[in-house]
Amino acid sequence: MRNERSTEDVALGIRRRVFEHCIRNNGGYLSQACSAAEQLAWLYNEELNLGAPTLPMIPKSFEGVPSPNNPDYHTGAGYNGPASPELDRLFIAPAHYALVAYATLIEVGRMAPEGLEMFNKDGSSVEMIGAEHSPGMEVHNGTLGIGLSTASGLAYGRRLRGDAGRTWVFMSDGEVQEGQTWEAVQACAHHGIDNVLAIMDVNDQQCDGAMSSVMEVGDIRTKFLNFGAACVEIDGHDLTAMRDAVNEPHTGKPLIILARTNPYHTMPVLEERFPRLHYVRFKSDDERSRFNTSIAANLGVDPIDYAH
């Protein structure tokens, strides 16, 4: 399943959709769209080998958790296509990027735009913090740090079965503050698990502000290399750099792509909130109006009429 639109156009569409949603709902995860739109657009529009979606274009309501009394339970991974041996799998490790992930699914034709209207509504599967039943999500990754290790375990199992498909992980840099991330890399290197690949949004920000103000992490590329991964550092807004990075030799090793990004890329007015950019809730009607006008101009659209 391939999209005829350019990846640049998909990335712009992601930002426009997240912007409209956040203005209409008086806040949201705007900064994550600034930093990650190119990465998710590249994965879905170019790099991932996925089949057609197996779930309805308009997501179903939440249908309960797995149990003997719920035999039809399914995860949201069906929006990425079937779990076939020859196809790739994707784990969205930072669940708070869910809004950006949903916008991506819409932009590449895997989910209907109406699905976003269900966002964070009672009884909806389109969760604000993505869960295993949310569109595009395969497991619950709300606890940062577990995504890479979960994906690595799956990749190991797939390799033992002889599956040709790869296992991809989209990560955030806050996850390098978690020991489980490093254990996963070390285990992959030890067992030669090289069918797991990750791209990490390195925007130097997290919930409580700048990464360095919460826990200094140092030279993370050197750390990844020392723990046994192949690691490439790129400009996370440069699609050509992503295309080149994925070709880095990594036989017997996981591949980690560090995508350095700007948390207010294409929405410079957000710098006013720096470094508190994790979730932008407008402080006044004037600020909401001013951000609406400024960001709309940057993205080449009309300001959002959020009064109706």
Side-chain angles (χ1 to χ4, degrees):
M1 182 175 177
R2 286 287 179 259
N3 196 325
E4 295 181 356
R5 296 168 61 197
S6 72
T7 302
E8 290 85 354
D9 187 44
V10 172
L12 177 59
I14 292 168
R15 291 193 175 107
R16 285 174 171 174
R17 202 169 289 278
V18 171
F19 158 63
E20 179 178 358
H21 177 89
C22 292
I23 290 294
R24 289 194 185 282
N25 291 276
N26 195 30
Y29 291 98
L30 272 171
S31 182
Q32 288 77 5
C34 292
S35 60
E38 282 86 4
Q39 295 165 64
L40 287 168
W42 170 71
L43 283 171
Y44 273 99
N45 206 50
E46 295 186 26
E47 184 57 31
L48 292 171
N49 179 26
L50 303 175
T54 61
L55 294 173
M57 291 294 284
I58 298 178
K60 297 179 181 180
S61 299
F62 176 60
E63 295 183 316
V65 299
S67 76
N69 299 321
N70 190 13
D72 297 326
Y73 174 84
H74 60 269
T75 73
Y79 286 93
N80 297 334
S84 299
E86 75 281 6
L87 298 177
D88 293 340
R89 305 275 281 274
L90 173 66
F91 286 75
I92 305 289
H96 61 284
Y97 280 71
L99 176 59
V100 189
Y102 303 148
T104 305
L105 291 174
I106 295 169
E107 289 298 313
V108 297
R110 291 181 171 272
M111 187 173 89
E114 292 85 351
L116 206 53
E117 296 173 10
M118 304 165 66
F119 182 85
N120 201 32
K121 299 290 178 63
D122 287 347
S124 170
S125 61
V126 188
E127 305 264 19
M128 181 170 69
I129 305 298
E132 64 275 7
H133 50 265
S134 299
M137 309 291 175
E138 182 150 354
V139 295
H140 183 77
N141 278 321
T143 305
L144 293 183
I146 70 172
L148 183 61
S149 57
T150 306
S152 298
L154 176 69
Y156 194 20
R158 299 190 76 191
R159 194 189 75 181
L160 293 173
R161 286 201 308 259
D163 291 3
R166 304 166 299 171
T167 302
W168 269 93
V169 191
F170 171 73
M171 303 179 65
S172 61
D173 52 350
E175 296 177 75
V176 301
Q177 295 172 341
E178 301 287 348
Q180 191 167 347
T181 296
W182 303 105
E183 292 173 8
V185 173
Q186 191 167 256
C188 285
H190 177 75
H191 293 289
I193 305 170
D194 54 11
N195 58 332
V196 63
L197 307 91
I199 185 164
M200 179 183 291
D201 182 22
V202 185
N203 61 16
D204 296 317
Q205 304 299 309
Q206 59 189 106
C207 181
D208 293 322
M211 285 273 293
S212 59
S213 71
V214 177
M215 182 187 294
E216 182 58 64
V217 295
D219 184 344
I220 58 176
R221 179 173 182 270
T222 297
K223 287 182 177 180
F224 275 117
L225 294 172
N226 288 341
F227 272 82
C231 187
V232 183
E233 192 165 4
I234 64 169
D235 177 345
H237 302 298
D238 185 339
L239 292 168
T240 299
M242 291 179 206
R243 296 167 186 141
D244 292 340
V246 76
N247 294 316
E248 178 77 8
H250 61 102
T251 301
K253 302 178 178 182
L255 175 62
I256 312 292
I257 301 171
L258 302 179
R260 293 276 177 186
T261 60
N262 180 335
Y264 40 86
H265 181 71
T266 71
M267 303 183 195
V269 70
L270 289 182
E271 188 174 5
E272 292 182 18
R273 291 293 197 87
F274 185 83
R276 298 287 183 172
L277 288 172
H278 182 75
Y279 186 97
V280 176
R281 176 74 70 188
F282 302 114
K283 298 177 180 179
S284 65
D285 290 340
D286 175 71
E287 184 184 59
R288 185 180 184 185
S289 174
R290 192 163 49 80
F291 276 44
N292 185 17
T293 301
S294 175
I295 297 173
N298 292 136
L299 299 182
V301 293
D302 292 332
I304 306 302
D305 181 6
Y306 54 85
H308 300 88

